[in-house]
Amino acid sequence: MLALLPLGLTVYFASLLPAVVAGHTVRHSAAWVPTLSVNFSFYLDGLSLLFALLITGIGTFIVIYSGGYLKGHPDLGKFYLTILLFMASMLGLVLADNIVTLFVMWELTSLTSYLLIGFYHSEFRSRRAATQALFVTAGGGLALLAGLILLAGMGGSWEISELLGKGEVLRAHPLYLPALVLVLLGAFTKSAQFPFHFWLPNAMEAPTPVSAYLHSATMVKAGVYLLARLQPALGGSEVWSAALMTFGLATLLTGATLTFRHTDLKRLLAYSTVAALGALVFAIGMVPLTDHYAAMGFATFLLAHSLYKGGLFMAAGAVDHEAGTRDINQLSGLFRVMPVTGVAVVLAALSLAGLPPVLGFIGKEVLYLASLQAAPVWMIGLAVLGFAVGAMLALILVVPFFRGKPPEEVHEGPPSLWLGPLVLAGLGLLVGLFPGLYNPLAEAVASAVKGKAVAYHLKLWPGFNLALLLSLLTVAVGVGLYFLYPRLQAWMAQDPIPGPENGYVALLRGLLRLAAFVERLLQSGSLRAYLVWVFAGLTGLVGLAFLRGGAVFWPGGASSPPPAQVLLLALMLLGAVLALRLRSHLAMVVGVGIVGAGVALVFLLQNAPDLSITQFLVETLTAILIALVLLQIRNIGPVPSGRWLDKAVALGFGGVVTLLMLGMLAQPMSPHLSEFFAQKSLPEGFGRNIVNVILVDFRGLDTFGEITVVGLAGLGVWALLKRLRREERP
């Protein structure tokens, strides 16, 4: 029943196809933070519509598939909730028109994918993979946030649709390069581009429905979507094309090379996803350099990869579910016992290999046409090698279904396990045979990526040309690599290959060591050390603010204090010196008490008897409490000599407070608040003592809170003393 929700959304988005392919866009906007011009706005064109259809359409089969794959699992309900939240986050991301909305959805996909990858939370490997994915993508998300804010400032708008028409302004801006680097960091981490590719294969610890969904239509393509969406705004510069083509090709080759290290079906498919994501980024980098081939190749290969990769992952999960293993060396004769799954694997593998008559062949052909127009020869050669590994992988996936004897007690899974792979692979065949079915939407997608109208007719048979020769070469090299695969796999699997993941591990260990050092430094268990850090920090921050703000001055018009105040100030200074010089704790309390008593007398001389009485009471009670506590502490010993750090911090903090008071006295005092309390105290507070009315009525809640804190502190002291007396009883 839950599958009806994404299915209904698929039907809704499909109903918008006629309007979108006709060149119309659908917009919706509602005020979110009006004061900051932030709207909850959405924008639907060809690019976002294709992603919306993939997210909801493949999501429908993922929900159905999950019911069969995780049948009987105690956390199945939680899984459904999380994957639907993830689907909603992805939809919000690809439909968002406001930068803030897009970033919020971007981070929600990271959070929900963390929960999905770590679904088997009792297993350490699942928790580690989920944490790694979160750290990498969230770190890139912070860079993306900075880049998007720069773009909004450069373009003068928070709406992405408005920024797309300001490409020349953005590229000419002096902050273009920093903004571009930050956006690329966010997109590369999300879509597992080299050197951030390592988190994606490790995410295979997730259940197969999660792997199939993340790899086919959702999270890993979020970065690809962002690059395609911002291509009209940021594309067109040399650094854009050079960066995307270089990193895209490096990712394609990295994924292809690391495929040789594994025999696990999900790992093999994961590295092929890394390679395909690199190819998509490579295509986006070529868009400004070609007329229409790169944009159409991107649109076609995007759909082809989503269909065959979703089908292959679900088929691999079905094989694991029924045969109990994903190791290709232990699988044989599966077509006899799992014919429906076998048909789906064959059709999807044809698309992976780029062979006719499926959609993968058309997508690869158009990408080759784009590379012949925009890329140097050495890049084309490396791209052929990367695609050849896909052809090799197709053979690796298909051969176990036909070679050898079928395993015992293995049979076709329930319809929920083979429905999704069969339909997705069948769609790849249908669109490959009749590319005109997809051509209008492909042109709308290409137009959105290109930033202007694109017209190109997709064909299953393009005729004899150089791109076809490259396809034949790709297949030939792939067949050769298939026969070399056992030797290459055994050689590459011998020793771990150092790579970016080692850097991630080293960085994580460094952060843990730094955290341990900071903890030892700040959480020493010494109250004295804590107070030193607090007062030193306040002194530095407040003092720096005073110096930078030019607020250090003596208040003008200050008259000389009367002799009585001078005498009291001298007495207070004497108490402070005694507190610093004496080594007896009780004597120090007396010295500090002298300072407090002097303050109370100053209040009295300034005609503030209420404050004076309050100060006397506080100082007296504080001195008594501290003295009682000191008498109860055994072996406290004398105060250590020296304490230069304490003296320096105390003098510095006192000096900053002095500057603060002088700055306040130098400011003109508005009588508005004083007049308000004087006028309202008697008629509304029914009291002539203004201070009492303020404390009891105007600030009654604050006073109640202060009394509560003092009361709780008193109860705590009483409980400690009572416990101490109980322990002293014989």
Side-chain angles (χ1 to χ4, degrees):
M1 293 298 293
L2 284 176
L4 294 177
L5 178 59
L7 179 61
L9 290 173
T10 305
V11 173
Y12 167 73
F13 287 117
S15 67
L16 301 176
L17 270 170
V20 172
V21 298
H24 301 292
T25 57
V26 180
R27 299 172 184 267
H28 174 76
S29 181
W32 188 3
V33 188
T35 55
L36 299 178
S37 300
V38 176
N39 299 320
F40 202 64
S41 55
F42 297 97
Y43 174 81
L44 184 72
D45 61 356
L47 179 63
S48 52
L49 178 59
L50 174 60
F51 271 92
L53 289 172
L54 291 175
I55 292 166
T56 55
I58 296 179
T60 301
F61 294 109
I62 292 296
V63 172
I64 297 173
Y65 181 86
S66 302
Y69 189 85
L70 296 173
K71 184 178 181 180
H73 196 284
D75 292 329
L76 181 58
K78 182 175 68 175
F79 175 84
Y80 278 137
L81 174 62
T82 309
I83 203 163
L84 289 176
L85 288 174
F86 177 72
M87 185 185 302
S89 303
M90 275 301 305
L91 272 178
L93 191 156
V94 301
L95 297 175
D97 189 30
N98 187 273
I99 283 179
V100 177
T101 305
L102 182 144
F103 179 75
V104 170
M105 297 300 175
W106 182 279
E107 292 301 288
L108 284 177
T109 60
S110 296
L111 179 60
T112 50
S113 64
Y114 165 77
L115 298 175
L116 290 172
I117 295 171
F119 178 71
Y120 298 129
H121 51 81
S122 60
E123 300 179 9
F124 170 74
R125 295 178 62 180
S126 295
R127 298 196 302 271
R128 181 181 61 185
T131 303
Q132 186 182 77
L134 181 64
F135 281 178
V136 174
T137 57
L142 294 176
L144 176 64
L145 175 61
L148 293 177
I149 292 175
L150 285 180
L151 285 181
M154 294 158 56
S157 175
W158 291 95
E159 301 298 309
I160 299 174
S161 57
E162 296 181 10
L163 294 176
L164 297 181
K166 299 181 178 181
E168 295 183 0
V169 175
L170 296 176
R171 289 188 292 271
H173 200 281
L175 294 177
Y176 169 75
L177 186 58
L180 175 62
V181 172
L182 292 170
V183 170
L184 291 183
L185 279 174
F188 284 179
T189 53
K190 200 76 161 183
S191 287
Q193 296 298 294
F194 179 86
F196 308 107
H197 61 278
F198 54 87
W199 72 263
L200 183 55
N202 293 336
M204 292 302 97
E205 300 299 330
T208 298
V210 176
S211 302
Y213 200 36
L214 262 65
H215 284 241
S216 60
T218 53
M219 181 177 173
V220 296
K221 286 196 172 73
V224 172
Y225 166 80
L226 182 67
L227 294 175
R229 170 58 69 205
L230 295 179
Q231 199 286 137
L234 297 178
S237 65
E238 293 183 4
V239 65
W240 168 270
S241 294
L244 266 62
M245 293 176 67
T246 301
F247 281 96
L249 187 60
T251 305
L252 171 61
L253 293 175
T254 300
T257 302
L258 294 178
T259 303
F260 290 97
R261 291 181 54 82
H262 302 280
T263 59
D264 181 275
L265 285 176
K266 286 181 66 175
R267 288 275 177 175
L268 290 170
L269 292 174
Y271 281 110
S272 73
T273 299
V274 172
L277 293 171
L280 288 170
V281 172
F282 183 73
I284 298 173
M286 293 189 295
V287 168
L289 307 178
T290 62
D291 44 10
H292 49 255
Y293 287 128
M296 286 297 292
F298 168 82
T300 309
F301 188 73
L302 174 66
L303 177 61
H305 176 262
S306 298
L307 294 178
Y308 75 69
K309 190 54 61 70
L312 286 175
F313 260 110
M314 285 190 274
V319 170
D320 183 28
H321 190 272
E322 300 301 322
T325 181
R326 299 194 306 259
D327 193 327
I328 58 173
N329 295 325
Q330 301 178 19
L331 299 173
S332 61
L334 293 175
F335 198 87
R336 302 179 189 177
V337 292
M338 303 179 69
V340 181
T341 303
V343 170
V345 169
V346 170
L347 292 177
L350 285 175
S351 195
L352 170 63
L355 294 174
V358 291
L359 184 61
F361 170 74
I362 302 175
K364 179 171 58 62
E365 289 294 299
V366 183
L367 285 181
Y368 276 155
L369 290 172
S371 62
L372 289 170
Q373 193 177 64
V377 176
W378 65 271
M379 278 192 171
I380 298 175
L382 294 177
V384 169
L385 184 60
F387 280 114
V389 175
M392 177 203 72
L393 180 58
L395 285 172
I396 293 175
L397 296 174
V398 170
V399 168
F401 275 84
F402 295 95
R403 182 184 62 187
K405 297 181 180 180
E408 298 180 359
E409 299 181 358
V410 175
H411 53 80
E412 189 69 77
S416 59
L417 294 184
W418 54 255
L419 178 62
L422 186 62
V423 172
L424 294 180
L427 285 174
L429 175 62
L430 177 64
V431 180
L433 290 172
F434 305 100
L437 296 174
Y438 177 59
N439 207 96
L441 180 56
E443 290 180 342
V445 174
S447 299
V449 176
K450 185 72 174 176
K452 61 181 181 179
V454 172
Y456 180 78
H457 186 62
L458 295 173
K459 298 178 182 178
L460 176 60
W461 177 247
F464 290 99
N465 53 25
L466 188 54
L468 182 61
L469 292 178
L470 291 177
S471 292
L472 294 176
L473 178 61
T474 300
V475 175
V477 175
V479 173
L481 290 175
Y482 171 76
F483 289 106
L484 293 175
Y485 173 76
R487 296 181 182 179
L488 293 174
Q489 195 277 326
W491 173 63
M492 294 189 65
Q494 290 179 356
D495 299 313
I497 301 177
E501 187 171 7
N502 298 85
Y504 165 81
V505 174
L507 177 62
L508 197 60
R509 290 175 178 173
L511 288 175
L512 292 176
R513 292 193 185 100
L514 178 62
F517 170 74
V518 173
E519 181 183 10
R520 291 193 301 269
L521 185 65
L522 299 180
Q523 300 293 328
S524 60
S526 170
L527 179 60
R528 172 182 171 273
Y530 296 159
L531 292 175
V532 167
W533 280 110
V534 171
F535 286 114
L538 285 174
T539 301
L541 292 176
V542 178
L544 181 63
F546 266 92
L547 292 175
R548 290 176 61 90
V552 180
F553 48 78
W554 187 267
S559 58
S560 301
Q565 290 191 14
V566 173
L567 181 62
L568 288 176
L569 291 174
L571 182 64
M572 294 166 60
L573 182 60
L574 176 63
V577 171
L578 291 175
L580 288 174
R581 298 294 300 172
L582 297 175
R583 300 190 63 189
S584 169
H585 290 88
L586 291 177
M588 290 175 60
V589 173
V590 173
V592 174
I594 293 174
V595 177
V599 173
L601 292 174
V602 171
F603 288 150
L604 185 62
L605 292 177
Q606 293 292 328
N607 298 321
D610 291 348
L611 290 177
S612 179
I613 294 174
T614 304
Q615 181 71 20
F616 270 120
L617 291 175
V618 170
E619 289 297 331
T620 303
L621 290 175
T622 302
I624 293 173
L625 287 174
I626 294 177
L628 290 175
V629 171
L630 291 175
L631 291 174
Q632 294 292 334
I633 299 177
R634 302 169 183 172
N635 302 323
I636 188 172
V639 178
S641 59
R643 300 176 296 157
W644 295 108
L645 178 62
D646 298 354
K647 296 175 183 178
V649 172
L651 289 173
F653 186 74
V656 168
V657 172
T658 301
L659 292 176
L660 180 62
M661 294 300 298
L662 292 175
M664 292 178 60
L665 291 173
Q667 299 299 319
M669 302 297 292
S670 173
H672 173 72
L673 198 58
S674 301
E675 294 174 355
F676 170 81
F677 286 124
Q679 295 173 2
K680 302 294 183 180
S681 293
L682 183 59
E684 296 188 9
F686 304 102
R688 298 183 182 277
N689 190 315
I690 299 177
V691 175
N692 289 348
V693 173
I694 292 174
L695 293 176
V696 176
D697 294 286
F698 291 108
R699 295 183 61 243
L701 189 60
D702 292 345
T703 305
F704 176 74
E706 294 166 359
I707 293 173
T708 303
V709 170
V710 174
L712 291 175
L715 289 175
V717 173
W718 173 77
L720 290 174
L721 293 175
K722 185 176 181 181
R723 178 180 178 181
L724 183 62
R725 293 195 191 100
R726 189 182 301 114
E727 292 176 353
E728 290 178 346
R729 291 174 184 173

